Amino acid sequence: MLPGTPCVEGSQGADRTSWRVDAFGLAVESDFALPGLDESREAGPLPNLLVRRVSSEQVDGSWPAASALRLSEENFGGGEADRTVDYEPSAGYRLFAREFGLAHVDPSGERVLCVPHDSSPWRWQRFLVGRVLPLASTLQGYEPLHASAVVVDDRAIAIVGPSGSGKTSIALHLALRGAALVTDDVLALERHGESVLAHPGSGVASTRDTEDELVRAAREQGVGRILGWAGKLHVAVGRPDRAVPLAGIYFVRDGNATAEVTPLPAPDPRIVLASMLIREVRTPERLGRQLDVCALMARAVPMFTLDRGRGGPLRAAEALERHTVELAR
Amino acid sequence: MPDHVIVRGFADESIALNLKTGQYHGLNQSAHAMLETLQRHGTSEHALDELSERFAAPRATLRRDLECLRADLCERGLLEPDVARDPLR
């Protein structure tokens, strides 16, 4: 386990009042440095998102709690809820995660008021890039897929799987082998005619700190920067500066003893739909768009299963890399 | 088909989404073919002609299956009862 020394990225000049980072298909302008989100600009115009740091009193003071609907609630240890998502049509969404943060996203997804928790900035960062920004991205017309993704031959390869399935580790191993990391955990997709575009995410991968081999290799090869630790190891990896076509989707599973890739010529639509994130937005427009994107992916993007095997994420990454070479031919 | 229902095809089946309820419904290939036929011809003899040619099944069987599907879709809110387009009634 590495020493826990969280650090905050981004310049903090005394006169600085705004930061700009393009992530999840949005041009994010904030009045404070967002941890783990290095400034970047994606080629081409993007819809705007304003992020403002405020106090919890400012968020809850204007939130219409009496008329809001509780969309989801998670309780991990009794007592009050640890994570909640509330919705009110005129106000938008209120997201709360104990010891992570609080955020209010307006109905259009163009403005976010956030209250970082006072603990490690990496807890707050995970809340921001794992929940808040993907919600705003969804409200602005994108479809987030629960996936990590890398770029191979100018095309995105998505690695889909539930938390703990190893998709981040596999993606990082591919990054060690020269691929750029598009995103970790949340991949913002956009329909572009009869193809699907994948937008860069945060550029920070969060993996369990038991991946000593991965960490050592990252340090030896100078790939990525170890940013800190807060339950998971956070590594900043270079990401592409523009959206790229989605060329393949690999569903990670435990199956065979050896790591291998198997084609999925007729993917179950339920599996594709279940891989999409942000279930809180259930307007007819959004649900229709989500089904459209899933159907388009099923017919236009080759899908495969990736058996992890027993050799760990490195062997799975090697199997995937071999397959992407064949896919490119 | 009502405006609040959209149907999208996947490899082996289609998914019908009721935008009012947010519920998804799966249709196998046969059901999807029958649904398309229902949309074009209702439960008319033209529909049976088309399905008979496609599935090589007896008309009586197809008529029964088509009516059952129609009733099921109506019950699920995916199709609106339309007596005017149902000359068999």
Side-chain angles (χ1 to χ4, degrees):
Chain A
M1 181 181 294
L2 292 179
T5 310
C7 66
V8 178
E9 284 296 308
S11 58
Q12 291 277 12
D15 299 329
R16 189 105 188 247
T17 58
S18 93
W19 284 257
R20 161 78 183 264
V21 58
D22 292 348
F24 305 107
L26 303 175
V28 183
E29 184 188 324
S30 65
D31 59 1
F32 67 107
L34 302 175
L37 287 165
D38 291 346
E39 288 197 284
S40 64
R41 291 189 184 240
E42 196 176 312
L46 296 177
N48 296 319
L49 170 65
L50 295 179
V51 178
R52 296 289 178 260
R53 183 171 185 160
V54 299
S55 68
S56 57
E57 288 76 21
Q58 285 176 281
V59 169
D60 288 335
S62 61
W63 178 256
S67 56
L69 177 67
R70 175 64 49 92
L71 296 181
S72 69
E73 180 175 310
E74 295 174 86
N75 192 314
F76 301 125
E80 294 183 5
D82 294 293
R83 292 184 196 170
T84 60
V85 179
D86 298 316
Y87 170 70
E88 204 279 342
S90 63
Y93 296 81
R94 178 186 182 277
L95 292 81
F96 168 73
R98 191 181 305 282
E99 297 187 7
F100 284 79
L102 170 67
H104 174 191
V105 182
D106 82 342
S108 66
E110 296 175 357
R111 186 179 175 90
V112 170
L113 302 178
C114 52
V115 185
H117 194 269
D118 292 335
S119 66
S120 161
W122 296 112
R123 283 180 169 266
W124 155 238
Q125 190 263 358
R126 285 172 54 74
F127 177 65
L128 180 69
V129 303
R131 303 299 308 279
V132 180
L133 295 185
L135 175 61
S137 178
T138 301
L139 292 170
Q140 294 218 40
Y142 297 95
E143 280 303 324
L145 179 68
H146 192 186
S148 299
V150 296
V151 176
V152 177
D153 290 334
D154 283 332
R155 299 180 305 169
I157 301 295
I159 305 163
V160 177
S163 298
S165 58
K167 55 184 181 295
T168 299
S169 298
I170 294 171
L172 280 176
H173 276 293
L174 290 170
L176 289 175
R177 301 164 85 86
L181 183 72
V182 179
T183 194
D184 176 39
D185 213 41
V186 181
L187 180 63
L189 301 177
E190 177 187 11
R191 178 168 189 162
H192 186 71
E194 283 301 298
S195 65
V196 180
L197 292 181
H199 286 269
S202 73
V204 175
S206 303
T207 183
R208 300 179 200 287
D209 61 354
T210 56
E211 293 281 350
D212 291 337
E213 176 186 351
L214 184 63
V215 172
R216 185 170 49 249
R219 284 179 165 162
E220 288 173 355
Q221 296 183 34
V223 174
R225 298 191 314 278
I226 309 295
L227 298 177
W229 179 81
K232 284 190 172 185
L233 182 70
H234 304 283
V235 182
V237 186
R239 58 185 195 132
D241 62 358
R242 67 188 191 286
V244 292
L246 182 62
I249 299 176
Y250 294 78
F251 294 90
V252 179
R253 70 176 187 183
D254 283 323
N256 302 333
T258 55
E260 64 180 0
V261 175
T262 307
L264 267 178
D268 187 336
R270 295 156 191 79
I271 293 176
V272 180
L273 282 165
S275 301
M276 308 305 290
L277 283 173
I278 312 300
R279 292 178 170 77
E280 293 87 356
V281 181
R282 297 185 61 79
T283 60
E285 177 189 332
R286 192 283 166 113
L287 292 179
R289 182 185 73 224
Q290 184 181 64
L291 184 59
D292 271 339
V293 170
C294 285
L296 176 59
M297 285 198 295
R299 67 176 180 266
V301 182
M303 297 189 187
F304 311 89
T305 57
L306 170 62
D307 282 293
R308 291 193 298 179
R310 297 187 188 138
L314 173 58
R315 298 290 170 252
E318 289 173 344
L320 198 160
E321 185 183 47
R322 284 194 299 271
H323 190 263
T324 58
V325 171
E326 295 173 20
L327 195 62
R329 289 181 185 154
Chain B
M1 180 150 281
D3 291 339
H4 66 266
V5 177
I6 62 171
V7 181
R8 295 292 179 265
F10 289 76
D12 288 343
E13 62 183 298
S14 298
I15 299 294
L17 170 61
N18 186 327
L19 295 171
K20 281 185 179 177
T21 64
Q23 286 189 323
Y24 298 84
H25 305 262
L27 292 87
N28 61 17
Q29 291 180 345
S30 299
H32 183 80
M34 285 193 169
L35 176 61
E36 284 187 324
T37 306
L38 272 174
Q39 288 181 274
R40 279 197 300 276
H41 304 297
T43 50
S44 66
E45 294 299 320
H46 292 302
L48 293 176
D49 290 342
E50 189 175 303
L51 291 172
S52 182
E53 188 176 329
R54 181 164 181 170
F55 291 110
R59 288 177 76 88
T61 301
L62 289 169
R63 188 189 304 267
R64 184 187 64 235
D65 289 348
L66 193 61
E67 186 52 45
C68 284
L69 176 66
R70 180 177 170 279
D72 192 4
L73 293 171
C74 287
E75 187 176 331
R76 292 168 184 258
L78 300 177
L79 199 66
E80 285 171 348
D82 188 347
V83 177
R85 293 194 65 199
D86 192 358
L88 295 182
R89 288 185 176 276

